[in-house]
Amino acid sequence: MASVAPARSVAPARSLYKAKGPQLEKGMLDELLLVCTFVGTNKVSGTDDDDDSDEVRAVDGFVRGEDAVAWLQDLQRALRRDDGDARAIRTTVGAWDVLRSKLLPLAEASAGDALATRTLCKIFVLLTMPLSDKCQQALEATIDPKKDKDRSETAIRTRTELRDAATKQATQLIEARFAFAERPKVLRALSRMFDGLRKARREPGEDIDVELALTLLRNLLVPLPPLEDGGARGAAALDALTKALREELVLDQVLDLCAAVHARENRQWHLVLVEVLAPLLAAHRPADVAAAAAPQLSGGRSRGGAATTSPTS
């Protein structure tokens, strides 16, 4: 018998939230719990509704909550108030696995709702923002015990807390890559946000959709500092995401925009396009990129000018 139940990872007991590091401001924990509960719920298969066993049950679908958009807007406002470095709200939402268990399923269930899709994309952007400069430096810094002798306990504690927060954020960004790669329907919706580029006269809001889509791609593809595993999981996540973006033609949309970037209405996206493409190109050797581009640049002709055919034509 199918029953509707909140995801177990999203509604932890209050006693579980006594994490080290940055703390949420008063009342924020309750607000996050409400939002994560009422945006929607997983429909799971089980035997009895009062079954309290810890047995993992299969998820049959996702039921969108009533007033889901209003709850999403509350979450968006909360994330905007988050601290620029420690980001306690974001790491709390990440620790509950809200992106994978709630927001991405909700995005699939809201494919025909333009307002919900745009609001969700704004939340995705906020949840995947790159690490701040301080966090980046904290992860990359080498701890020197000799120099620490001259530092105050407060300075060392602040550095440790920042490093822990940065590690959590980087880990959650890696998991976000895997989560998006697992949801091709969401990537198709992301691809549709570029549809306005094909119109001779764009409607209000279509430029915003393109900017949101590009910013989300930039956030998901941005290089991350290596963690304890030496960056192996981060590289695997990037490979999985890149493959999914290619299969769902999202990267084709980016290439189409690059081809039309000289147009006046597209000049505003020069910088973000560079930020999207740079990590993708960095994963390849320059010689390989040049070799792949050579047939296109030559117009498909040999040295003598005779037309050549592709082995697959």
Side-chain angles (χ1 to χ4, degrees), residues 204-224:
E206 289 181 332
D207 279 350
I208 296 175
D209 288 344
V210 174
E211 184 174 357
L212 283 170
L214 287 174
T215 305
L216 177 57
L217 288 174
R218 187 277 312 270
N219 291 356
L220 290 171
L221 295 170
V222 69
L224 296 173

Side-chain angles (χ1 to χ4, degrees), residues 86-263:
R87 299 175 183 171
I89 296 174
R90 175 174 135 181
T91 53
T92 299
V93 171
W96 295 348
D97 202 23
V98 174
L99 178 65
R100 181 181 270 111
S101 64
K102 290 277 188 169
L103 299 180
L104 289 174
L106 178 59
E108 290 184 345
S110 306
D113 187 332
L115 177 58
T117 299
R118 185 176 295 169
T119 304
L120 279 163
C121 196
K122 291 177 181 178
I123 291 172
F124 294 155
V125 167
L126 291 168
L127 287 174
T128 58
M129 287 297 292
L131 276 64
S132 67
D133 290 340
K134 287 184 179 180
C135 283
Q136 192 85 12
Q137 293 167 6
L139 275 182
E140 295 174 349
T142 302
I143 298 177
D144 188 342
K146 293 182 178 180
K147 293 183 179 180
D148 283 350
K149 293 180 180 179
D150 299 327
R151 293 190 174 98
S152 66
E153 291 183 5
T154 302
I156 294 175
R157 183 171 62 252
T158 300
R159 184 193 63 191
T160 301
E161 291 178 353
L162 188 60
R163 187 181 181 89
D164 290 344
T167 301
K168 289 180 182 178
Q169 292 175 44
T171 301
Q172 290 172 5
L173 282 171
I174 292 172
E175 295 307 314
R177 290 174 175 175
F178 279 121
F180 275 94
E182 295 164 1
R183 297 281 181 174
K185 291 182 180 179
V186 175
L187 296 181
R188 282 177 221 143
L190 183 65
S191 178
R192 288 194 293 272
M193 296 183 76
F194 291 94
D195 287 350
L197 295 173
R198 299 185 179 89
K199 297 181 180 178
R201 188 182 185 89
R202 296 176 190 169
E203 299 178 5
E206 289 181 332
D207 279 350
I208 296 175
D209 288 344
V210 174
E211 184 174 357
L212 283 170
L214 287 174
T215 305
L216 177 57
L217 288 174
R218 187 277 312 270
N219 291 356
L220 290 171
L221 295 170
V222 69
L224 296 173
L227 300 178
E228 293 181 356
D229 64 352
R233 185 163 177 79
L238 183 59
D239 288 344
L241 177 64
T242 304
K243 179 181 178 182
L245 291 173
R246 183 174 62 250
E247 291 176 348
E248 300 306 326
L249 305 181
V250 178
L251 294 183
D252 285 15
Q253 299 280 16
V254 175
L255 291 177
D256 288 345
L257 178 55
C258 289
V261 77
H262 61 278

